[in-house]
Amino acid sequence: MVTKAMIREHEMLLNTIRRLGDNSKESYVIFDATKNHCVVECNNFFCTLTNTTRSQIINSDYFSLMSNEEKTTIEMIKDKIHSGVMVQAKLHHSCFDKPPFWAEIQALPFQNNNNETLFVLVVVKDVTYYHIEEFLVRLEKAMYEAIEKDYSFDKKMSVICSSLDEFFMPKISSMVLVKAEADQLQVFKGNDKIKDLPERCENKDFFKRVMQGETSILVKNLDEIDIPIEHKMFANSSEMSFGLFMPIYNQQHQAIGLFAIFLKHHSSDQKFYENMFQNIGALVALAYSYERIQKKIWDLAYIDITTGLPNRHGFLNKVEKEYGQNGNIKILKPSEFHQIVELYGREAGDELLRQIAKRLNEEKNDDNEYIARFTSSSLIIANATSDEDFFYYKRRIKEIIRQPFIVGGKQIYITLKTGIALYNNEIKIADAIRFADNAVSFAANKPGTHMEIFTQERNDVLEQQMTVLNHLAQAIKNKEISVNLQPKVDLRTGEIQSIEALARWISPKLGFVSPAIFIPVAESAGKVREIDNQILEIVLSWLAERKRLGKKLVKVAVNISPDHFYYADFVQDTLELVQKYDIDPRYIILEVTENIGLVDFQTAFSIIQELKEYGFKTSVDDFGTGFSSLSYLQRLPFTELKIDRSFINDINDAATLAIVRSIIQLALNLGMTSVAEGIENKEQVEILRALGCTVGQGYFYYKPMTIEQLDAILDK
C-alpha cells in the first residue's frame, strides 16, 4: 500500500535526483526502476541529443531508446542498477530520424531502506567523435603495421574491410573497389556471407560516374542502378536496402576506386559517412600507392639500372615464358670493353653496351629477338627462330660496328665477339646460355670481329664438365658428396673458434673430382642447392651426435651458392633442416660471395635479416676477389668478413698489406669478425695480429680433415 508519506518521500528523492542531473550540466534522463524503467524526467540537452521532445520521452521505456543489437549490454546494465551498483558503459544510443550515436552512459541507482532501486539517473554523453577517432587511429596503426610487415595489397585491404565490418556491422556492409588493369575493378569486402563474390568486376558507367564526382551518391533503390548482380546479392544478404557510393582519391586527387556502402535505412547524416570514409579512403590510397611503388621496385629487380636493359634475371624470366622450345642464344662481347672502362670509367662501358643494344634493336628484322645485359661486359640475345640465317647475322654485326660509337665525347671503333648455341627439346635454355658463353670464350681468342657456334668437339674441358654433369645427379642421389672440415682459429690463442665445411667428391667411376670442377657444373645444372643441403645435413648430423654424447659444439660455416641463396624457400628450408636435428641456428654460419648483394640488394637484405632474426650467422667469403660495392656491404648485416687467400699470400707486398689493413678496418667498423684465409706461416700470423685480425684459417694451423680426425682434436 502506497501511503502519502511514501509519495512525498519519492517526490523529495526525485527532486534531489533532478538537482543532481541539473548540476552535472550534462544531458540526462531519470527513469522509475519499479515501473518498467519508465522515464519520469529528462532535460533539454537530452532532447536535443536524441532529436526528440520531452513529451515523446516521458513515460517511455528508457531502454527502448537503445539499439536492438545492444541486448547483452542492456541486460548487464539492468542487473547492476537493480543491485544498486553504479554502471558506466559505451553503446549505440537511438536517435529520432537520425543515425544512432555512440553514447557513454553513467547510470546511478537510488534505493530505499529495503535496498530496492526506485529511480535511476542516467547521464548521457555523445562520444561518437572520440569513438571514431579512436577507431581511425587503430586502423591507421594496423595499416602501418601491415606495410612494415610487407603484407600483400590484398591482405592490407582485408585489414581495412574487416575493421569496417567490426566497427559498423550490422548497421552497414561495405566493399572497396580499386582500379585494376583493362577497365576492371578489384573487389574487396570483409563480410563472408557471400563466399563466391567475384574478385574483379567491370568498371561500369555508374562506377565511373561515382569516381568522376566530388561527393557521394546516395541510392535509395539498388535495382535502379547498373552494378553487378553479385553486389546487389551481397547487400541483400545483410538486408541492406540503400547504397552510398563514394570516390577514393590519392594524394594527386586522382580517382583510384570507390566505396560501396550498403545501409539498412535511409541516412539523414550523409555528411557523417562522407567524412568518415574520406579518412579511410586515405588509408586505401596509401596501400594502393605503396603497392604501385613495390611493383616498380619489383620491375627494377629485372632491369639493369646502369643501361636500362633487362638484366639476366629479367632475361631468363621473359625467355623461358615466351620464347618457345626452339631457337638460339647469342652472347656478344666488345673486345675492347675492359680497355674502354680502364680509360674512361665504368660508365663508359655501360654506355657502350647501351648503344650496341640500341643499334641491334634498330637493325633487327623480326620480333622474335630479346636483348638483355648478361654480364658487366656482355649482352645476351634470345632468338626464337629455329633456322636463323647466321650469315645475315654476320652482315648485321658488321653494319652495327661500321660507324664509331660516341662514348664520353670520344669516337670509339670496336670489334665484337659472338658465341652462339641452339636450344630445343633436348637442350634447355639454361644449357644453351652456358654453351654460348663457352663459345664466346673461343671467339675471344680470334682476331677482329668473330662469331663462334658452339659444338661439343671444340672444348675438351667442356667434355670433362659434361662427364661430371652426367655423374653428378647419381652422385647426389647416392650421397657420394662428403665433407672435410677445416678449423678457423683465434689468432691470439690458437684455439679453434669455428669450422668450415668443404665439399668433397670421390666418385666410384671418376675418382677424386675437384670442387673447382663439380661445383660450377652443379651451379650451371641447377643442382648446387641439393649439394648445399647435403653438406648442411652432414654437418647437422655430426653436431647432433656430439650433442647427444654431451660433447662440445662448435660453429660450422657452410658455403651457399648464389642460386640457392635466392631460392624462394631458402630460409624456411634451412630453418626446418636445423630444427629437424635440434641444433641451435647460432652454430651455423652461412657463407656467401661478396657479389650477392649486387644481384638483388633488396632481396639479399631481407634474406640476411631474416636469417639473423632466426639466429644464423652470415659470412662474406673470398672478400676482395669480386666486384663489390662498399655501400651495399655496409647495409647488409653480415657477421663475418673472410679475406681471400690471394691477399694473405702476398701480404709482404706493401700495396697488398695496405689492402688487407683496409679490409680488417672495414670489418671492425662494420661490427664484423675478420677472418684471414690461407695462412701458411708464422710471419703471416704476426702481421695479421698486428693489423687487428682476430681469426685465421690455413695449413699453418690445420689442413682440411675428416669428421673423425676433427672429433679426435676436439675431444682432447
Side-chain angles (χ1 to χ4, degrees):
M1 178 177 176
V2 179
T3 64
K4 289 182 179 182
M6 291 174 62
I7 294 174
R8 282 196 303 272
E9 184 180 331
H10 285 189
E11 287 177 351
M12 290 174 63
L13 178 59
L14 189 58
N15 287 332
T16 301
I17 298 172
R18 187 182 294 112
R19 284 195 298 273
L20 286 174
D22 291 337
N23 290 335
S24 72
K25 306 298 183 183
E26 300 283 356
S27 164
Y28 74 86
V29 64
I30 304 170
F31 63 76
D32 188 336
T34 65
K35 296 181 179 179
N36 297 321
H37 315 106
C38 176
V39 176
V40 295
E41 185 60 271
C42 67
N43 64 357
N44 292 333
F45 291 152
F46 184 81
C47 294
T48 302
L49 185 61
T50 56
N51 198 33
T52 57
T53 63
R54 190 172 185 280
S55 60
Q56 290 175 308
I57 297 295
I58 298 299
N59 296 325
S60 64
D61 179 354
Y62 172 68
F63 290 106
S64 67
L65 299 176
M66 303 297 179
S67 171
N68 290 331
E69 286 77 30
E70 304 285 1
K71 290 180 180 178
T72 303
T73 304
I74 291 172
E75 290 305 316
M76 179 272 293
I77 294 171
K78 289 179 179 179
D79 287 343
K80 287 196 174 184
I81 61 174
H82 284 289
S83 299
V85 179
M86 187 182 77
V87 185
Q88 184 168 326
K90 186 188 291 185
L91 71 174
H92 272 110
H93 201 295
S94 296
C95 191
F96 183 72
D97 198 30
K98 289 179 70 175
F101 62 90
W102 277 99
E104 182 180 86
I105 68 167
Q106 287 182 311
L108 181 62
F110 292 84
Q111 295 187 318
N112 59 18
N113 294 332
N114 296 325
N115 294 326
E116 296 173 333
T117 299
L118 302 178
F119 298 104
V120 179
L121 170 65
V122 183
V123 177
V124 184
K125 292 182 181 180
D126 183 352
V127 294
T128 303
Y129 172 81
Y130 302 102
H131 188 69
I132 290 172
E133 286 296 305
E134 182 183 333
F135 164 71
L136 291 174
V137 168
R138 288 200 314 271
L139 182 56
E140 184 175 334
K141 181 181 178 182
M143 178 55 64
Y144 280 115
E145 285 180 356
I147 290 174
E148 185 180 344
K149 293 178 180 178
D150 202 22
Y151 286 171
S152 66
F153 180 63
D154 288 10
K155 197 167 182 180
K156 293 187 187 84
M157 296 309 298
S158 176
V159 168
I160 290 176
C161 293
S162 298
S163 297
L164 284 173
D165 272 3
E166 181 182 346
F167 185 80
F168 281 113
M169 284 294 285
K171 302 299 178 186
I172 71 167
S173 290
S174 59
M175 294 191 300
V176 184
L177 289 75
V178 178
K179 281 185 176 180
E181 69 281 352
D183 206 30
Q184 295 274 306
L185 293 174
Q186 199 169 354
V187 181
F188 301 97
K189 49 90 181 178
N191 190 337
D192 289 329
K193 288 184 179 179
I194 301 294
K195 296 289 186 182
D196 56 350
L197 187 69
E199 294 180 356
R200 291 180 181 247
C201 71
E202 179 187 347
N203 190 5
K204 292 180 174 288
D205 290 340
F206 176 77
F207 292 145
K208 291 177 181 178
R209 182 156 63 91
V210 172
M211 286 187 282
Q212 289 167 359
E214 292 293 327
T215 59
S216 61
I217 296 178
L218 179 65
V219 177
K220 298 180 181 179
N221 186 350
L222 295 176
D223 292 332
E224 294 178 354
I225 58 173
D226 182 24
I227 62 174
I229 184 65
E230 295 87 355
H231 293 194
K232 295 178 181 179
M233 292 171 61
F234 172 80
N236 290 335
S237 69
S238 301
E239 300 179 354
M240 305 295 177
S241 306
F242 296 86
L244 186 63
F245 299 86
M246 290 179 54
I248 302 172
Y249 293 102
N250 61 15
Q251 288 186 331
Q252 291 74 40
H253 203 68
Q254 299 167 326
I256 61 168
L258 70 149
F259 288 112
I261 308 162
F262 302 107
L263 307 94
K264 282 190 175 182
H265 308 289
H266 172 254
S267 173
S268 61
D269 199 1
Q270 187 171 333
K271 197 67 179 176
F272 162 78
Y273 287 113
E274 288 179 353
N275 292 336
M276 177 80 171
F277 279 86
Q278 189 174 22
N279 288 315
I280 299 169
L283 295 178
V284 175
L286 175 65
Y288 182 81
S289 299
Y290 187 81
E291 179 71 10
R292 299 291 290 270
I293 292 171
Q294 287 292 89
K295 186 178 184 303
K296 288 180 181 178
I297 293 172
W298 180 255
D299 290 342
L300 286 174
Y302 289 101
I303 299 295
D304 174 62
I305 299 174
T306 56
T307 61
L309 297 170
N311 62 18
R312 182 170 180 168
H313 291 294
F315 177 83
L316 289 171
N317 188 57
K318 177 87 169 179
V319 173
E320 289 179 350
K321 288 181 179 178
E322 302 180 21
Y323 276 70
Q325 299 296 319
N326 294 282
N328 66 74
I329 298 293
K330 303 183 189 72
I331 294 177
L332 287 76
K333 187 172 185 177
S335 308
E336 300 77 12
F337 183 87
H338 292 295
Q339 293 94 316
I340 291 170
V341 169
E342 288 174 5
L343 283 171
Y344 307 115
R346 185 159 294 279
E347 294 80 6
D350 297 334
E351 177 60 25
L352 176 62
L353 291 182
R354 183 164 46 245
Q355 291 187 28
I356 294 172
K358 184 174 184 291
R359 293 187 186 184
L360 282 168
N361 277 318
E362 290 171 348
E363 290 289 330
K364 70 180 181 181
N365 63 348
D366 58 46
D367 295 326
N368 292 326
E369 194 171 82
Y370 189 67
I371 303 173
R373 187 171 190 169
F374 181 59
T375 66
S376 63
S377 60
S378 63
L379 298 174
I380 187 168
I381 303 173
N383 193 306
T385 305
S386 58
D387 55 351
E388 182 185 357
D389 184 353
F390 294 127
F391 178 74
Y392 164 76
Y393 174 77
K394 279 185 178 180
R395 286 190 302 166
R396 180 183 172 197
I397 290 298
K398 288 181 179 179
E399 183 62 27
I400 283 171
I401 63 174
R402 187 170 61 84
Q403 297 295 329
F405 293 87
I406 310 299
V407 178
K410 309 279 187 183
Q411 288 191 354
I412 297 175
Y413 287 89
I414 64 169
T415 58
L416 277 176
K417 313 297 186 185
T418 304
I420 302 176
L422 303 178
Y423 65 86
N424 49 43
N425 291 333
E426 296 180 356
I427 302 173
K428 295 179 180 179
I429 290 174
D431 291 328
I433 292 173
R434 183 160 50 87
F435 297 154
D437 199 19
N438 181 269
V440 81
S441 297
F442 280 105
N445 296 321
K446 303 295 176 65
T449 295
H450 189 76
M451 177 184 77
E452 283 282 344
I453 299 175
F454 172 84
T455 58
Q456 182 74 28
E457 295 76 21
R458 290 181 184 270
N459 190 356
D460 291 338
V461 174
L462 186 59
E463 284 185 359
Q464 181 189 30
Q465 290 176 343
M466 294 301 292
T467 301
V468 168
L469 178 61
N470 291 337
H471 289 82
L472 187 60
Q474 196 67 26
I476 293 172
K477 181 180 179 181
N478 295 337
K479 296 190 175 181
E480 295 173 12
I481 310 297
S482 62
V483 170
N484 271 12
L485 301 173
Q486 185 178 26
K488 292 183 280 186
V489 303
D490 189 322
L491 294 181
R492 295 161 298 186
T493 64
E495 294 181 357
I496 293 175
Q497 189 258 3
S498 60
I499 296 163
E500 182 177 7
L502 304 168
R504 293 292 183 264
W505 178 19
I506 300 177
S507 168
K509 295 183 179 180
L510 304 178
F512 174 79
V513 184
S514 169
I517 295 175
F518 76 81
I519 292 297
V521 170
E523 287 178 338
S524 299
K527 296 182 180 299
V528 72
R529 181 165 62 89
E530 297 174 68
I531 293 177
D532 287 351
N533 284 336
Q534 281 195 11
I535 298 301
L536 179 57
E537 193 151 11
I538 292 171
V539 166
L540 290 169
S541 177
W542 173 62
L543 289 173
E545 178 63 15
R546 290 189 65 84
K547 180 179 178 181
R548 186 184 68 82
L549 297 173
K551 294 181 178 181
K552 175 185 176 182
L553 299 185
V554 288
K555 295 190 286 290
V556 183
V558 179
N559 288 282
I560 301 298
S561 72
D563 286 346
H564 188 188
F565 179 81
Y566 283 112
Y567 177 65
D569 297 324
F570 165 60
V571 176
Q572 286 304 314
D573 286 353
T574 304
L575 184 63
E576 288 175 9
L577 203 54
V578 170
Q579 291 173 341
K580 172 184 173 183
Y581 286 92
D582 192 27
I583 297 298
D584 192 319
R586 66 189 175 91
Y587 287 106
I588 300 299
I589 304 171
L590 300 170
E591 290 190 0
V592 296
T593 63
E594 65 175 310
N595 291 338
I596 204 78
L598 298 179
V599 177
D600 184 346
F601 169 76
Q602 195 60 45
T603 302
F605 176 85
S606 299
I607 292 171
I608 295 169
Q609 188 64 37
E610 189 176 3
L611 289 168
K612 183 178 179 181
E613 290 171 0
Y614 283 123
F616 293 99
K617 311 291 184 183
T618 50
S619 175
V620 185
D621 197 18
D622 300 332
F623 184 78
T625 60
F627 177 71
S628 64
S629 167
L630 296 183
S631 64
Y632 280 175
L633 185 64
Q634 70 179 355
R635 292 163 60 194
L636 294 175
F638 288 111
T639 309
E640 190 178 81
L641 194 64
K642 297 186 72 178
I643 307 168
D644 186 72
R645 66 182 63 248
S646 61
F647 294 102
I648 308 305
N649 290 339
D650 295 331
I651 201 166
N652 289 315
D653 176 73
T656 304
L657 180 65
I659 294 172
V660 173
R661 179 186 291 111
S662 298
I663 294 174
I664 293 171
Q665 189 61 45
L666 173 67
L668 182 63
N669 292 341
L670 296 178
M672 301 178 188
T673 301
S674 56
V675 179
E677 296 179 291
I679 298 175
E680 295 183 356
N681 55 59
K682 181 69 173 178
E683 183 183 1
Q684 292 171 342
V685 174
E686 295 299 333
I687 294 172
L688 289 166
R689 282 177 182 165
L691 293 177
C693 184
T694 55
V695 181
Q697 178 182 11
Y699 281 21
F700 178 76
Y701 290 104
Y702 298 99
K703 294 181 180 180
M705 62 188 75
T706 64
I707 287 176
E708 292 77 12
Q709 289 171 325
L710 183 60
D711 271 333
I713 293 172
L714 293 175
D715 294 343
K716 283 182 180 179

